[in-house]
Amino acid sequence: MKKSLIGVVAALMASQTAFAADVYQAEPPAFPDQAPEVQVQEASGWYLRGDVGYSFNKSRGVSFDRAAAGPSIEELSFTTTNLKDSVLFGGGVGYQINNYLRTDLTLDYMAKSKFSGVAPQLNGANSSMRAFAVMANAYVDLGTYGRITPYIGAGIGGAHVKWSKLTTCGNCEIEGEDNWRFAYGLMAGASIDVTCNLKADVGYRFRQIGSGSMFGTSDSGQTSGGRDKGVTSHEVRVGGRYVFNGCDTAQYIPPADIPLQPAVYK
């Protein structure tokens, strides 16, 4: 009896071990992240721009040579100068390097700006100037807040300044000069997303145009070599930029769907 009981217990243990060996549980699968994977494409590409504006101008002074007694020449300066404000028109082409940096090349036209001044032995004098400017500019975009992106920038280049005839109170006319000068600018403003391709732009620019020849020699030969000491401008500008690939959007790629693996019984 005792041997029989021991045999039954041994048989039960052997069958339990064999059943456990026949059961195979697959390794638990890795659970993928629930959120889809996002590939974000940085803004980049070419754009065209156009601007109109108003320039508050200031002459930095004018000097000229005047024949004195004998063969000597003395240099005189205008005691007062006044350069009127003018309108601006501009355009250019640029490239958005990434979300924070862009650069462009612009051509601006400063419309007629009237000049008046008073100088020793010339009394009152009147003229006017126009200017074309070619500038290479770089901007740092300071982040986008809703639809608005503030920015700062700087540019260098050259300005072609053309002066009309200088007319004095004695009805004397002296031919004006035209020449290229160094120019630079400092900018700040904000762009506004109108559509995915079009951005409005509102900005301010400080621009300095260097010195150069203003007028030549009078018919009498008494006055010659007029030189203006440069023009300072504070400009308010509005315009727009057309971005060629502005409607490109981020691509959403979901992860691979990995189903749960059930237990396998052998």
Side-chain angles (χ1 to χ4, degrees):
M1 181 68 180
K2 196 173 191 180
K3 292 182 179 181
S4 298
L5 183 59
I6 293 173
V8 170
V9 172
L12 289 175
M13 292 180 63
S15 62
Q16 182 68 26
T17 303
F19 178 78
D22 287 338
V23 178
Y24 170 74
Q25 176 66 45
E27 294 183 1
F31 289 94
D33 294 336
Q34 298 300 319
E37 180 182 351
V38 180
Q39 292 183 353
V40 180
Q41 182 178 7
E42 284 196 341
S44 64
W46 295 96
Y47 64 84
L48 296 176
R49 65 173 297 164
D51 303 273
V52 295
Y54 194 79
S55 179
F56 301 89
N57 304 317
K58 180 180 180 181
S59 169
R60 301 185 67 191
V62 177
S63 63
F64 62 96
D65 294 331
R66 182 75 176 180
S72 61
I73 300 293
E74 60 180 343
E75 183 179 22
L76 303 176
S77 296
F78 277 62
T79 55
T80 62
T81 58
N82 181 35
L83 189 62
K84 297 292 185 180
D85 303 336
S86 59
V87 295
L88 298 168
F89 305 93
V93 59
Y95 188 79
Q96 184 84 40
I97 299 172
N98 54 42
N99 289 336
Y100 302 100
L101 182 63
R102 58 188 170 88
T103 183
D104 58 35
L105 182 67
T106 57
L107 173 64
D108 296 320
Y109 171 66
M110 178 188 291
K112 182 179 180 179
S113 178
K114 294 183 178 180
F115 170 87
S116 62
V118 176
Q121 302 183 31
L122 285 182
N123 298 319
N126 298 279
S127 183
S128 64
M129 67 161 282
R130 295 176 173 85
F132 286 95
V134 179
M135 305 280 288
N137 312 287
Y139 310 86
V140 176
D141 292 330
L142 303 177
T144 299
Y145 306 91
R147 291 178 174 266
I148 300 175
T149 304
Y151 65 84
I152 56 175
I156 59 172
H160 185 266
V161 176
K162 180 175 178 57
W163 286 97
S164 65
K165 291 181 178 180
L166 184 76
T167 303
T168 68
C169 292
N171 293 324
C172 175
E173 291 186 346
I174 307 175
E175 288 293 331
E177 300 283 343
D178 61 281
N179 46 74
W180 282 96
R181 299 131 179 249
F182 174 75
Y184 72 89
L186 301 172
M187 294 82 76
S191 60
I192 304 167
D193 294 336
V194 179
T195 68
C196 56
N197 285 114
L198 183 63
K199 298 178 183 291
D201 194 296
V202 180
Y204 161 81
R205 178 171 69 181
F206 169 83
R207 182 164 63 177
Q208 177 70 59
I209 299 177
S211 60
S213 299
M214 180 178 177
F215 56 84
T217 302
S218 63
D219 293 338
S220 65
Q222 296 295 308
T223 302
S224 64
R227 300 170 297 277
D228 73 87
K229 300 177 182 179
V231 176
T232 297
S233 301
H234 297 274
E235 303 168 1
V236 179
R237 306 162 66 91
V238 294
R241 303 198 309 270
Y242 180 82
V243 184
F244 286 101
N245 66 339
C247 290
D248 290 349
T249 57
Q251 299 179 359
Y252 293 84
I253 303 177
D257 189 10
I258 304 176
L260 298 177
Q261 300 294 327
V264 177
Y265 297 91
K266 293 184 180 179

